[in-house]
Amino acid sequence: MKQLRALQIFGIITSIGAYFMLAIGAIVSATESGKGCGNTWPFCHGKLIPESLPMETVIEYSHRIVSGVDGLLILILTVWSWMAFKENKRVKVLGFLSLFFVVFQGVLGALTVVFEGTFAKNFSLALHFGFSLISFASVILLTVYLFQLSNPEKKNGLMDMRNTPLAKWLWGLAAYTYIVVYTGALVRHSEATMGCGYSFPLCGPTVFPGFSSLAEIHLLHRYFAFLLFFLVLGTLIFILKKHRDRKDLVRGGWLAFLLITLQALSGAIIVWTGGKLMAELLHTTIISGFFAVLSYMCMQIGLPWSKKTHLPDVSTEVGQTS
């Protein structure tokens, strides 16, 4: 049990590090500091300590350092969890996702730096944030699951809802959320944040979304985001009506609705403030939390394609950490 407690604490530390990796990445984009270290990676201007330190260099190099440190923390957390719970498939999967996507986003980030002007297109940069978000959510879920292992009776008492319409809906909603996140990252990297000027929720004379202008790119994200808001609201209403006995899903539904509401408000604040840095950072923080909550609900309800009729017994796993 002492090892499990240590793992839980380390998971919290790693989760905080994963958030800082996302946040500083958002600052890099908002301040257009991506070229602060030139076209060299992993060092800055080809040196461990660059000779000059303008603000864009400090921001970009800080992002690389934080990403490297958190990548190491994720590696330690993953290997440690695998060793402590050798037979637990969920620990293996969550650890793998955490590690794989933090490495993958790092490689993609390196390619966008080294091959600036060719590979570093707006679509690729948007994917970079998306992969970081998956890694962040996976670390959060792994940490949450480690805490659940401390109280296996509570987990084992949940009603099995895998392979149900709600399970399929939640996983589909998570996938759609990822698409919305991608369109938001595309807005940022296309420099379309103020594509609609200071107009919200309308976009001036632009009505139809697309990719031919900054206004169309921005409007595309708004349409996707507005739909997400109503989908989350509908999900909450359905859970309250049909599955009020699942307290974990009820709490998750309420939290998801609160966060998506705040996300919409923070999006409006970005427009009204002309794309201020703190507004951008708030927007990134809220959507990261929202995606993590939605991922938690997916984990709680299980895989929609699973044909098993019982939930896995986690009580047998706790003894491995004694």
Side-chain angles (χ1 to χ4, degrees), residues 98-111 127-128 131:
S98 302
L99 186 59
F100 175 80
F101 280 103
V102 76
V103 171
F104 196 71
Q105 67 87 23
V107 172
L108 185 60
L111 290 174
L127 282 175
H128 181 263
F131 293 145

Side-chain angles (χ1 to χ4, degrees), residues 257-273:
F257 179 68
L258 173 63
L259 289 174
I260 200 62
T261 302
L262 293 175
Q263 180 70 0
L265 179 59
S266 67
I269 292 175
I270 290 176
V271 173
W272 294 335
T273 60

Side-chain angles (χ1 to χ4, degrees), residues 9-275:
I9 295 174
F10 193 78
I12 293 175
I13 295 173
T14 306
S15 299
I16 294 173
Y19 165 72
F20 278 112
M21 180 177 64
L22 277 175
I24 298 179
I27 294 174
V28 169
S29 299
T31 58
E32 299 181 3
S33 300
K35 299 179 182 179
C37 287
N39 296 103
T40 60
W41 192 93
F43 300 125
C44 199
H45 295 295
K47 298 181 179 180
L48 179 61
I49 301 178
E51 295 178 355
S52 61
L53 292 172
M55 185 54 64
E56 65 174 8
T57 299
V58 172
I59 294 174
E60 169 62 16
Y61 208 24
S62 297
H63 177 50
R64 295 187 187 185
I65 293 173
V66 170
S67 297
V69 171
D70 191 61
L72 179 60
L73 293 178
I74 291 175
L75 174 62
I76 295 173
L77 178 65
T78 298
V79 175
W80 190 0
S81 300
W82 285 349
M83 293 178 64
F85 299 96
K86 297 178 181 178
E87 304 300 324
N88 193 307
K89 293 182 179 180
R90 181 167 293 182
V91 168
K92 291 180 179 179
V93 171
L94 292 175
F96 171 78
L97 291 176
S98 302
L99 186 59
F100 175 80
F101 280 103
V102 76
V103 171
F104 196 71
Q105 67 87 23
V107 172
L108 185 60
L111 290 174
T112 58
V113 168
V114 175
F115 298 101
E116 174 67 30
T118 54
F119 188 85
K121 303 297 182 181
N122 294 331
F123 293 94
S124 300
L125 289 169
L127 282 175
H128 181 263
F129 176 77
F131 293 145
S132 299
L133 187 60
I134 294 178
S135 178
F136 168 76
S138 299
V139 172
I140 294 292
L141 294 186
L142 178 56
T143 302
V144 169
Y145 187 60
L146 289 173
F147 276 92
Q148 289 180 344
L149 289 174
S150 298
N151 191 7
E153 292 79 10
K154 184 176 181 180
K155 176 64 179 176
N156 291 333
L158 295 177
M159 181 180 65
D160 186 3
M161 293 182 62
R162 291 176 291 180
N163 200 23
T164 63
L166 181 58
K168 295 180 175 67
W169 175 262
L170 284 177
W171 280 83
L173 184 61
Y176 178 74
T177 298
Y178 189 78
I179 295 175
V180 176
V181 169
Y182 180 82
T183 63
L186 186 61
V187 167
R188 179 187 300 162
H189 292 294
S190 300
E191 299 182 2
T193 299
M194 299 305 296
C196 294
Y198 293 91
S199 177
F200 186 91
L202 301 178
C203 189
T206 305
V207 177
F208 298 102
F211 298 98
S212 60
S213 70
L214 297 183
E216 290 181 358
I217 294 175
H218 189 113
L219 193 59
L220 177 69
H221 175 60
R222 287 194 190 181
Y223 283 167
F224 273 80
F226 285 148
L227 177 58
L228 178 61
F229 174 85
F230 289 107
L231 291 177
V232 173
L233 175 59
T235 301
L236 173 61
I237 294 174
F238 181 80
I239 291 175
L240 291 176
K241 285 187 175 181
K242 300 293 184 179
H243 301 287
R244 191 178 288 271
D245 56 315
R246 283 294 300 262
K247 300 301 182 182
D248 54 335
L249 297 182
V250 171
R251 289 192 297 267
W254 274 114
L255 184 55
F257 179 68
L258 173 63
L259 289 174
I260 200 62
T261 302
L262 293 175
Q263 180 70 0
L265 179 59
S266 67
I269 292 175
I270 290 176
V271 173
W272 294 335
T273 60

Side-chain angles (χ1 to χ4, degrees), residues 221 263-264 266-267 270 278-288:
H221 175 60
Q263 180 70 0
S266 67
I270 290 176
M278 292 306 298
E280 292 267 13
L281 188 57
L282 177 64
H283 202 58
T284 298
T285 299
I286 296 174
I287 195 59
S288 300

